[in-house]
Amino acid sequence: MVRPVTTPDPALIDLHVHTTESDGSLSPRACVERAAELGLAAIAIVDHDTVAGNAEAVAAGEALGVEVVPGVEVSTEFDGAAVHILGYFVEEAGPELLAVLHGVRQWRGERNPQMLERLRELGCPIELHEVAAQAGGDVIGRPHMAAVMVQKGFVRSTRHAFDQYLADGAAADARPEKVDAGTAIEALVACGAVPILAHPGSMRLPSEDQLEEMVRALAARGLRGIEAIYSAHRDEQTADYMRLAANVGLLCTGGSDYHGASKPDIDMGCGFGNMVVPVSVLDALKEERRRLRA
Ligand code: AMP
Ligand code: FE
Ligand code: FE
Ligand code: ZN
């Protein structure tokens, strides 16, 4: 039998990882252990609206020989659309970013009880303290509501919970005003962090023209890149977003949106199985950080 000639794996990274501080199922340290097990050269921790897991992950990275980029994924809106802004190299959250994160916390503080009220009206009574206990970490969000709904037998699965009740526009969705994307971008830049538009394929904008318009508007506020490589992006989407980034003069980044058991089909480093983020993406991001701080 002829063995195929194998070349050594190029250094791979994953710039989109969630921990128990938001809606992931692994602790910050356990995420780094998973990265080490997979042989990844680097990961970025980008919990939703909190930097609480970063210090533990960075320390674990130093011990285990995995480069850990401290980051955040901020829940914002632009023109009524939900927009997630990633921030990379959040070494110290400055006053502007702390104010933005406080604003997002207030939004969750309003939205979560509104959603629970709707769920109650829809015949799924779950309590905030149960959802908070499920969350455990720093941020309470919809995946924690979904988990409690499954445990109490109101739905068959997380997917069922989102499709019927929790997804954007579904029956229990509530939309108090959110932090504006441009404000979050400026706050990240103010503390030396590199702001990137997360998963453009998940925004369900009516048209690609609208995406370009939004990207140009956000670039004017300081956006530096687009997460073109992403678990759920089809190859042609990735190619489209790379072209858009080049046209606007932005970087491309990539990550899986790893959540551990909360999204069991997505693994760190490879997403649904075929995502590849080369270490050169991180080199370009570092170069951007240097320019941004110069
Ligand atoms: P939140 O930040 O509380 O609004 O919750 C958003 C999070 O819910 C996302 O980051 C995902 O982890 C998860 N999520 C959003 N939509 C879905 C969906 N359709 N199915 C499963 N999880 C979802
Ligand atoms: Fe999430
Ligand atoms: Fe996101
Ligand atoms: Zn994410």
Side-chain angles (χ1 to χ4, degrees), residues 16 18 48 73 84 198-199 230 257:
H16 198 144
H18 292 272
H48 299 290
E73 180 176 19
H84 286 180
H199 45 62
Y230 184 70
D257 216 348

Side-chain angles (χ1 to χ4, degrees), residues 161-277:
F162 270 92
D163 288 353
Q164 189 163 349
Y165 298 104
L166 305 177
D168 293 354
D173 187 22
R175 301 192 155 215
E177 198 181 328
K178 272 172 142 174
V179 170
D180 157 68
T183 306
I185 288 167
E186 287 170 357
L188 287 165
V189 171
C191 67
V194 185
I196 304 287
L197 176 64
H199 45 62
S202 306
M203 283 187 306
R204 287 187 234 100
L205 295 172
S207 76
E208 287 299 304
D209 290 353
Q210 242 170 323
L211 177 63
E212 173 153 1
E213 214 174 289
M214 175 172 108
V215 165
R216 287 189 186 279
L218 296 181
R221 303 286 296 273
L223 187 77
R224 301 299 169 115
I226 302 179
E227 188 181 45
I229 307 172
Y230 184 70
S231 295
H233 288 168
R234 286 174 281 104
D235 289 349
E236 57 272 30
Q237 286 179 298
T238 299
D240 284 350
Y241 302 140
M242 285 182 168
R243 227 178 348 258
L244 173 59
N247 287 343
V248 183
L250 297 175
L251 281 182
C252 286
T253 67
S256 67
D257 216 348
Y258 179 75
H259 283 69
S262 320
K263 287 192 184 175
D265 299 338
I266 295 178
D267 202 358
M268 200 185 286
C270 67
F272 292 112
N274 50 11
M275 187 195 74
V276 174
V277 187

Side-chain angles (χ1 to χ4, degrees), residues 18 23 48-49 73 75 84 107-108 111-112 140-143 158-159 162-163 167 204 257 259 263:
H18 292 272
D23 53 359
H48 299 290
D49 311 313
E73 180 176 19
S75 308
H84 286 180
W107 162 73
R108 285 184 185 278
R111 185 204 65 169
N112 290 347
I140 303 172
R142 287 181 283 172
T158 300
R159 167 126 196 217
F162 270 92
D163 288 353
R204 287 187 234 100
D257 216 348
H259 283 69
K263 287 192 184 175

Side-chain angles (χ1 to χ4, degrees), residues 12-201:
L12 297 182
I13 64 172
D14 187 336
L15 297 179
H16 198 144
V17 171
H18 292 272
T19 81
T20 42
E21 290 300 336
S22 63
D23 53 359
S25 70
L26 295 187
S27 69
R29 183 181 170 85
C31 283
V32 180
E33 286 167 353
R34 179 79 188 127
E37 204 173 84
L38 291 165
L40 298 179
I43 61 171
I45 302 296
V46 290
D47 275 312
H48 299 290
D49 311 313
T50 179
V51 295
N54 287 348
E56 178 183 322
V58 168
E62 281 163 10
L64 297 171
V66 176
E67 183 169 0
V68 173
V69 177
V72 67
E73 180 176 19
V74 190
S75 308
T76 74
E77 70 186 1
F78 179 84
D79 224 359
V83 173
H84 286 180
I85 302 293
L86 296 161
Y88 291 108
F89 305 106
V90 184
E91 274 116 25
E92 220 175 304
E96 298 88 349
L97 182 57
L98 290 174
V100 161
L101 297 180
H102 180 74
V104 180
R105 199 168 287 262
Q106 281 183 325
W107 162 73
R108 285 184 185 278
E110 282 180 52
R111 185 204 65 169
N112 290 347
Q114 286 176 12
M115 289 189 74
L116 296 191
E117 186 52 40
R118 293 192 186 183
L119 284 172
R120 197 183 324 278
E121 288 161 12
L122 292 161
C124 306
I126 62 172
E127 304 296 330
L128 189 56
H129 70 85
E130 297 171 303
V131 182
Q134 175 65 36
D138 200 37
V139 170
I140 303 172
R142 287 181 283 172
H144 308 116
M145 297 178 200
V148 174
M149 290 168 76
V150 172
Q151 282 157 24
K152 296 188 104 180
F154 293 127
V155 289
R156 295 182 301 281
S157 61
T158 300
R159 167 126 196 217
H160 180 193
F162 270 92
D163 288 353
Q164 189 163 349
Y165 298 104
L166 305 177
D168 293 354
D173 187 22
R175 301 192 155 215
E177 198 181 328
K178 272 172 142 174
V179 170
D180 157 68
T183 306
I185 288 167
E186 287 170 357
L188 287 165
V189 171
C191 67
V194 185
I196 304 287
L197 176 64
H199 45 62

